[in-house]
């Protein structure tokens, strides 16, 4: 794949060529658990990593490898490895790179599951975690200088779409010798490339926008080869392997990534602007709005503002949310995001289901918040749908 090609072309073509069999134009789903060798020398060479090839599908698999190569190309990375889910790759990465006595600096608004690793599991292994206010860049810089093995960032965040200045914080973390990791799930490689902004590793829950059809789970990390190799080595042993069939579904979804994201960027902005002007809506969180705190930073570091937004009803209660959601005709009320269908839900049952009511309050996540994952439907229909649901609220 020519490295000069653009994102859309890479989404369609990258990573596939050497895996197409007997003239097939599509990547095969290789369900085989193991790969046989008649020549013992060759088997030994592949097993010891001296020769390209596959031994056992918990470690590597051709279909899974195409998926990894495609994401690697989209993020302009040296290497990539995958796992069965986003949390599979995040936990593999943290446990592969950290040791007792290490210190992690991150922000309060990370994805709920990541937050549980920070608050519950890492401390059990005597790994300190400092969680800063997500938009307080001075505090993050200060914590980084107090000792930091990993700076872990997310931008935009889930569900209030906060923006962190990746280049600024990566520079501070590198001075302290830290590894900089960015969860790029919300932005996708079409809208943001953290490696270009100084990150060492970028992760995706491929379950969301990369796959885009809410029919396959998956996770992927890409970036510096040395780091990716360390993560792969842990993941092949913990066994949280991406299934070949899921890899295929994710690959099929990724072929239209750029088209979906372009549409979702456009529709989400229109919807955010509409909601911002609606009297039944208290507040809208979308980085594409000039009223958003992180708008200027987002403009600098993103090519598009994404399909995710959230908004708070004037009547700020879970009860109002539960009256509102069933009125929408063109939205699944569900826990995922990033699909072709519009998806809505409150943090209490989606991004922050793992947290208690008090924890959500402490994180500044209102109970009357609705996360809105913009689908690829015609935006006129989505606007009309919101209009009628808000009218009868
Ligand atoms: C969903 C999500 C994850 C976790 O991914 P799974 O595939 O559900 O394990 C991590 N980070 C973000 C931002 C997410 O939205």
């Amino acid at each position: 794949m020519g490295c000069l090609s653009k994102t859309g072309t890479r989404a369609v073509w990258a990573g596939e060529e050497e895996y197409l069999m007997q003239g097939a134009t599509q990547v095969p789903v290789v369900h085989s658990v193991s790969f046989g060798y008649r020549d013992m020398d060759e088997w030994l060479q592949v097993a010891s990593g001296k020769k390209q090839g596959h031994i056992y599908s918990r470690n590597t698999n051709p279909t899974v490898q195409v998926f990894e190569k495609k994401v690697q190309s989209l993020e302009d990375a040296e290497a990539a490895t995958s796992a069965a889910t986003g949390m599979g790759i995040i936990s593999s990465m943290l446990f592969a790179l950290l040791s007792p006595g290490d210190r992690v600096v991150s922000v309060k608004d990370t994805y709920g599951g990541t937050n549980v690793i920070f608050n519950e599991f890492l401390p059990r292994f005597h790994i300190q975690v400092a969680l800063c206010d997500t938009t307080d860049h001075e505090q993050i810089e200060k914590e980084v200088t107090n000792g930091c093995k990993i700076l872990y960032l997310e931008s935009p965040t889930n569900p209030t779409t906060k923006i962190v200045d990746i280049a600024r914080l990566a520079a501070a973390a590198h001075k302290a010798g830290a590894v900089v990791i960015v969860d790029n799930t919300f932005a996708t490689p079409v809208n943001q490339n953290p490696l270009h902004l100084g990150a060492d590793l970028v992760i995706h829950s491929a379950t969301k926008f990369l796959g885009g059809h809410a029919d396959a789970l998956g996770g992927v990390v890409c970036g510096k080869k040395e780091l990716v190799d360390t993560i792969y080595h842990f993941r092949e042993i913990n066994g949280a392997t991406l299934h070949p069939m899921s890899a295929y579904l994710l690959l099929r979804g990724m072929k239209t990534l750029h088209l979906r994201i372009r549409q979702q960027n456009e529709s989400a902005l229109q919807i955010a602007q509409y909601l911002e002007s609606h009297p039944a809506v208290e507040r809208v969180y979308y980085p594409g709005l000039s009223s958003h705190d992180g708008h200027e930073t987002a403009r600098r570091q993103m090519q598009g503002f994404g399909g995710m937004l959230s908004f708070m009803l004037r009547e700020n209660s879970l009860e109002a949310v539960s009256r509102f959601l069933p009125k929408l005709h063109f939205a699944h009320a569900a826990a995922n995001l990033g699909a072709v269908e519009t998806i809505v839900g409150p943090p209490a049952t989606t991004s922050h289901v793992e947290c208690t009511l008090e924890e959500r309050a402490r994180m500044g996540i209102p109970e009357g918040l609705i996360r809105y994952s913009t689908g690829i439907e015609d935006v006129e229909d989505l606007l009309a749908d919101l209009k009628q649901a808000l009218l009868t609220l």
Side-chain angles (χ1 to χ4, degrees), residues 164-178:
V164 301
D165 187 333
I166 296 170
R168 173 177 164 181
L169 296 175
H174 284 150
K175 266 192 214 144

Side-chain angles (χ1 to χ4, degrees), residues 93-113:
M93 174 174 66
L94 292 172
F95 284 102
L97 299 179
L98 291 165
S99 303
D102 284 341
R103 190 159 181 275
V104 177
V105 176
S106 187
V107 295
K108 288 187 181 149
D109 289 81
T110 51
Y111 175 72

Side-chain angles (χ1 to χ4, degrees), residues 85-87 90 111 154 158 183 185-186 205 207-208 217-218 337:
T85 65
M87 286 316 301
I90 293 170
Y111 175 72
E154 220 175 290
N158 190 358
D183 182 337
T185 300
F186 266 38
S205 166
T207 314
K208 315 292 173 52
L217 294 155
L337 59 95

Side-chain angles (χ1 to χ4, degrees), residues 113-283:
T114 311
N115 213 258
V116 172
I117 298 189
F118 288 156
N119 285 318
E120 187 180 335
F121 294 111
L122 292 185
R124 269 184 26 206
F125 294 89
H126 303 287
I127 295 160
Q128 248 194 59
V129 184
L131 298 184
C132 304
D133 277 338
T134 304
T135 52
D136 188 345
H137 287 65
E138 276 100 47
Q139 191 197 355
I140 300 170
E141 283 167 335
K142 192 164 147 270
E143 285 295 346
V144 160
T145 59
N146 288 341
C148 176
K149 179 74 186 281
I150 285 176
L151 173 67
Y152 187 101
L153 301 172
E154 220 175 290
S155 187
T157 63
N158 190 358
T160 50
T161 71
K162 292 193 179 112
I163 300 291
V164 301
D165 187 333
I166 296 170
R168 173 177 164 181
L169 296 175
H174 284 150
K175 266 192 214 144
V179 173
V180 178
I181 299 169
V182 177
D183 182 337
N184 204 29
T185 300
F186 266 38
T188 81
V190 177
N191 285 332
Q192 178 171 276
N193 298 110
L195 300 177
H196 293 169
L197 300 165
D200 302 298
L201 291 170
V202 48
I203 75 104
H204 286 277
S205 166
T207 314
K208 315 292 173 52
F209 289 100
L210 292 188
H213 293 71
D215 57 2
L217 294 155
V220 60
V221 61
C222 44
K224 298 229 166 84
K225 183 168 185 320
E226 196 191 330
L227 295 168
V228 170
D229 286 350
T230 305
I231 299 163
Y232 163 72
H233 176 60
F234 186 79
R235 207 279 302 140
E236 72 173 324
I237 300 306
N238 80 10
T241 308
L242 180 61
H243 192 281
M245 192 61 211
S246 296
Y248 175 79
L249 291 168
L250 296 171
L251 272 171
R252 183 179 158 118
M254 280 167 70
K255 299 238 177 187
T256 55
L257 179 69
H258 53 302
L259 300 178
R260 288 185 280 110
I261 299 304
R262 240 181 260 161
Q263 181 64 52
Q264 286 163 328
N265 286 344
E266 232 176 79
S267 300
L269 180 61
Q270 281 192 50
I271 288 165
Q273 285 167 341
Y274 170 73
L275 291 172
E276 197 172 41
S277 69
H278 199 288
V281 175
E282 176 73 31
R283 183 158 176 201

